[in-house]
Amino acid sequence: MKHQHKQECQELLGSISDYVDGALQEDLCRELERHLAGCEDCRVVVDTLKKTIELYHREAAQDVPADVRQRLFKRLDLDDLLHPAR
Amino acid sequence: MMVENIPVEISIKALKAGDRAEFARLVDLASAPIYRLGLKMLGHPQDAEDVLQNTFLKAFQSLPNFEGRSTPLTWLYRIAVNEALMLIRRRRPQVEIAEESQDESDGLPAPVQLTDWCCLPESDFLSAEARQALDAAILALPEKLRATFVLRDIEGLSIHDTSDAFGLSKTAVKTRLFRARFRLREQLSTYFGDRLEEERAK
């Protein structure tokens, strides 16, 4: 029984990435959710995968340092169009 | 998401006509995501700055060839990804071959780390050490997986725009993406799993 269970986990593994994007087909989504309700290991994989993406996405808030921006405008001969940082 | 900050009203016509003010506007709007891409791809501020400057220099030179089939930002991403990959290859030509084969191999390995570390206190996710662990994990990815993850999951591009930036099919992008995500999840699970044990030992 246990082996069969693991095989099901492995088969559903490929759908998890689409699932966390909310892009999984409805029937596959239902199948996966049914599996997740009874499989602690896969639930952990889904939750930690979501958390992984969330932690990295937070880094999108990082802006260009002012000196880097200044050198960029200079390199592009656009110094005269350098407005103060937003 | 950052992409939404890039307004559609950048005029491609003005860009192609050599309107410097319009180009400066594009630079201002797109420099942060391009700089972040360089940082994540190469791991060093100086390299990120090189990617940033080279991307806009090349964009400016190739403006006459820009057909406007993709958005200006996607077009810039394509140039920036190529710049970053070129810098990486120039520095580590011997690593490339090994990474290629891993990158394209079939089958997704079964998850090994099954610790649920989501419940850790927020401070554990915000520490300088955690940021280092995040950076180290992303730098350990094969570069094509890394680039795909950066565009899609850090910068928040759609699958469509990501595939446009790479000139790849959506299926190929999705394959790279889930490989990248699963590898990162394994690495972060090792790091945050240790933090969880420390919390429990307190």
Side-chain angles (χ1 to χ4, degrees):
Chain A
M1 266 325 270
K2 194 154 192 228
H3 175 74
Q4 201 177 12
H5 183 66
K6 285 286 171 201
Q7 198 176 5
E8 193 186 9
C9 299
Q10 192 61 29
E11 279 166 14
L12 289 171
L13 199 61
S15 331
I16 288 180
S17 191
D18 270 348
Y19 176 70
V20 302
D21 281 340
L24 196 60
Q25 274 178 295
E26 213 181 311
D27 51 337
L28 282 173
C29 191
R30 270 201 300 274
E31 191 189 337
L32 181 62
E33 280 176 348
R34 207 164 30 237
H35 176 79
L36 290 177
C39 180
E40 175 68 5
D41 284 354
C42 284
R43 187 198 56 78
V44 170
V45 171
V46 168
D47 287 351
T48 50
L49 190 70
K50 280 185 187 165
K51 191 75 184 173
T52 297
I53 297 167
E54 182 207 316
L55 289 176
Y56 278 106
H57 184 61
R58 288 181 190 182
E59 308 212 340
Q62 200 175 358
D63 213 342
V64 184
D67 56 330
V68 173
R69 184 168 169 266
Q70 216 163 11
R71 284 193 293 271
L72 174 65
F73 272 76
K74 194 170 166 55
R75 184 82 199 275
L76 298 169
D77 276 329
L78 295 170
D79 312 49
D80 54 319
L81 295 165
L82 181 69
H83 304 298
R86 287 152 287 156
Chain B
M1 297 217 173
M2 297 307 291
V3 198
E4 288 161 7
N5 291 342
I6 307 297
V8 281
E9 73 263 26
I10 284 280
S11 163
I12 293 167
K13 204 173 157 192
L15 285 178
K16 287 177 78 93
D19 184 334
R20 290 174 70 251
E22 193 68 357
F23 193 72
R25 225 154 65 81
L26 179 65
V27 173
D28 248 342
L29 290 164
S31 54
I34 301 296
Y35 182 72
R36 284 194 297 264
L37 172 83
L39 261 187
K40 294 297 167 209
M41 287 301 291
L42 290 131
H44 295 287
Q46 184 55 56
D47 291 336
E49 187 167 350
D50 286 347
V51 168
L52 181 69
Q53 294 192 356
N54 291 342
T55 297
F56 283 108
L57 283 170
K58 291 218 167 139
F60 193 70
Q61 286 160 6
S62 53
L63 260 176
N65 305 322
F66 178 49
E67 291 171 356
R69 274 198 292 244
S70 53
T71 66
L73 183 65
T74 308
W75 173 63
L76 287 172
Y77 272 132
R78 192 180 309 148
I79 301 171
V81 166
N82 285 332
E83 280 300 311
L85 292 177
M86 209 163 66
L87 256 185
I88 291 170
R89 274 174 202 148
R90 205 178 291 157
R91 281 175 200 178
R92 300 176 301 156
Q94 73 284 12
V95 181
E96 179 64 14
I97 300 151
E99 285 189 344
E100 278 300 336
S101 55
Q102 280 177 6
D103 183 354
E104 309 301 337
S105 68
D106 289 323
L108 195 63
V112 179
Q113 300 283 346
L114 295 168
T115 312
D116 189 355
W117 45 268
C118 295
C119 52
L120 276 168
E122 188 60 17
S123 56
D124 277 326
F125 296 123
L126 298 172
S127 69
E129 199 192 70
R131 288 192 74 116
Q132 274 175 12
L134 286 165
D135 285 346
I138 203 165
L139 282 171
L141 287 176
E143 53 251 27
K144 287 177 184 168
L145 301 194
R146 200 184 315 157
T148 310
F149 182 81
V150 170
L151 293 201
R152 171 74 180 120
D153 282 340
I154 298 186
E155 298 303 331
L157 262 72
S158 66
I159 293 284
H160 177 273
D161 286 349
T162 309
S163 60
D164 214 10
F166 288 111
L168 280 176
S169 70
K170 287 183 191 174
T171 311
V173 164
K174 283 185 174 189
T175 305
R176 282 187 183 178
L177 187 66
F178 79 66
R179 281 180 202 290
R181 286 171 165 182
F182 275 88
R183 283 188 191 217
L184 291 172
R185 192 204 70 87
E186 288 290 331
Q187 296 234 33
L188 295 198
S189 293
T190 305
Y191 173 77
F192 288 117
D194 288 348
R195 301 290 79 69
L196 193 68
E197 274 185 32
E198 285 171 12
E199 285 288 330
R200 284 175 180 163
K202 274 181 192 170

